[in-house]
Amino acid sequence: SHARKVREALALLAENPAFRSLFIVDGLDAFPFLWGEVGSDILAADIATSRMILRADRVLAALQPDVVVVGNDSSFPCRSFVLTARRRGVPTVYNQHGLILDDAETVPGASDTLLIWGESRRRRLVALGNRRDQLIDVGATQYDALFGDGLAMPPASLDVAPDRRVVVYTSAPASRGESQGEYLRACSAVRAAAIALPEVRFVVKLHPSEASAVWEELQRGSSPPPLTVIKDCNTLALLARADVVATRFSTTGVEAVILGKPLVSMNLGRSPDRAPYAQAGVAVAVRTAADLAPAIWRALFDPETRQRLTAAREPFLRGTFAARDGRAARRAAEVVIDHAIRNRMVGGHTPAGAPR
């Protein structure tokens, strides 16, 4: 029934002249060629969203939680839980998980309370319309261990001579707002930089959701291969072994800065940087594929570049994290428990078998 209503709405939309005009490119009407695929994508996304909301509602009906905590309320699954929790009167808490600047998680009013790392995210969220009383600085829960004993973490063991420099490139698949072409250009740029700097060992750390096919194709026919590609490993230990870390927008850039590693930030597209490393001065910015190898060389060997990156490190960390004491998870847990207690006091859901 819902799918039929969506199809009927799409049929009306297809007859709208203003909407159809969006498909006119250089005087050519591309609507007949594109609308079938576009309409199918809209229908599929709507059906997937509806199913996810129904599933989230069933979960909450079965568990009757006192509070719902999400780590990313911009994703369909997490947002579905936020929406259904709100309908059921269950408080929701969002725990900041990264630094990407264009996340839809910043939409005002998504979650009731937002646990954030520190001042830089607070300013951005307020500018986007979130209320100040929704935001609580707790620090980064995922970095408690890193700010504690993690800074003395032993580096990963690689089959590399101790005096050979290592560059770790933390990759990620094309994501929202980024074309597949940008991703492929970045992969090719890393390979070209590895060939241009044969004295440096290049290690590519794949994202957990990233397939290795593109990297395998780039290595084909090269002997020895210019890159070492790794999917599963202790990422922090790998970063600890690096002399330079390069990335496009991965949160591993934050980890590199925490560990005191020179950072190279690559953006080969036309969109603004999705993570603020270059703007904050903690990374060498790369805008073209040809600039990657020289940027890595400067991060490795140029005293002025390395001094500039080091000088920017502490201001960046101070602005990013409200605290670096290894107790962020405890503060976050206290907020969550407080929400649960208050929800019970006003007559919210009680888990089956639990006393009020």
Side-chain angles (χ1 to χ4, degrees):
S1 174
H2 181 76
R4 183 177 67 253
K5 291 179 181 178
V6 175
R7 291 190 183 95
E8 292 171 354
L10 289 174
L12 292 174
L13 188 62
E15 297 300 321
N16 184 291
F19 179 76
R20 291 182 67 110
S21 69
L22 299 176
F23 292 81
I24 297 176
V25 182
D26 291 335
L28 299 175
D29 184 7
F31 184 86
F33 302 95
L34 298 178
W35 175 239
E37 182 176 353
V38 172
S40 297
D41 288 346
I42 294 174
L43 178 61
D46 182 85
I47 291 173
T49 303
S50 301
R51 288 175 177 170
M52 190 61 67
I53 289 174
L54 292 173
R55 289 170 182 166
D57 195 56
R58 291 192 193 105
V59 170
L60 296 188
L63 298 180
Q64 296 192 7
D66 291 301
V67 63
V68 170
V69 183
V70 296
N72 175 5
D73 62 8
S74 67
S75 70
F76 277 150
C78 289
R79 183 152 293 182
S80 297
F81 275 97
V82 170
L83 290 172
T84 54
R86 179 183 300 164
R87 182 171 62 183
R88 290 176 170 274
V90 180
T92 55
V93 177
Y94 160 75
N95 186 33
Q96 180 184 342
H97 71 292
L99 272 185
I100 293 179
L101 294 176
D102 62 348
D103 268 351
E105 72 200 31
T106 58
V107 174
S111 296
D112 298 318
T113 299
L114 290 82
L115 305 181
I116 57 176
W117 290 0
E119 181 60 28
S120 61
R121 181 52 64 102
R122 172 179 291 275
R123 289 196 302 267
R124 179 170 177 79
L125 293 179
V126 170
L128 288 168
N130 289 273
R131 302 192 321 270
R132 291 182 181 275
D133 61 354
Q134 287 180 281
L135 312 177
I136 301 177
D137 296 343
V138 296
T141 56
Q142 66 265 52
Y143 295 144
D144 277 351
L146 186 56
F147 284 131
D149 298 333
L151 292 176
M153 175 178 297
S157 177
L158 297 173
D159 185 19
V160 181
D163 59 346
R164 189 176 183 188
R165 304 301 177 107
V166 173
V167 171
V168 173
Y169 174 69
T170 55
S171 185
S175 58
R176 185 176 57 247
E178 183 184 37
S179 70
Q180 182 70 7
E182 290 176 51
Y183 165 71
L184 295 175
R185 286 196 297 275
C187 296
S188 297
V190 173
R191 178 181 182 274
I195 293 173
L197 299 171
E199 70 277 19
V200 177
R201 175 73 170 272
F202 276 71
V203 179
V204 176
K205 170 62 178 73
L206 299 183
H207 188 273
S209 65
E210 183 179 9
S212 61
V214 169
W215 295 101
E216 292 171 359
E217 183 63 29
L218 287 173
Q219 301 270 62
R220 196 181 305 279
S222 299
S223 183
L227 306 167
T228 298
V229 180
I230 299 175
K231 178 133 187 174
D232 299 315
C233 72
N234 184 325
T235 302
L236 289 177
L238 181 62
L239 297 181
R241 176 61 182 86
D243 295 287
V244 164
V245 175
T247 190
R248 297 196 332 277
F249 50 77
S250 172
T251 305
T252 54
V254 178
E255 296 159 10
V257 176
I258 294 172
L259 291 169
K261 303 296 181 178
L263 184 63
V264 173
S265 175
M266 178 168 51
N267 180 359
L268 305 184
R270 297 180 179 179
S271 301
D273 288 352
R274 300 186 64 199
Y277 306 131
Q279 297 95 312
V282 293
V284 181
V286 171
R287 294 295 184 183
T288 68
D291 290 337
L292 181 58
I296 289 173
W297 189 93
R298 292 198 305 275
L300 282 169
F301 302 113
D302 180 55
E304 183 177 341
T305 298
R306 293 173 65 86
Q307 184 177 4
R308 175 173 56 81
L309 296 177
T310 299
R313 176 179 180 269
E314 182 55 32
F316 171 77
L317 294 177
R318 190 167 54 245
T320 301
F321 302 108
R324 290 173 272 165
D325 57 2
R327 297 172 61 85
R330 177 181 291 274
R331 287 187 288 271
E334 289 172 351
V335 173
V336 172
I337 292 170
D338 180 66
H339 273 286
I341 292 173
R342 283 189 287 148
N343 187 39
R344 288 196 176 198
M345 291 177 65
V346 298
H349 289 294
T350 303
R356 277 200 180 274

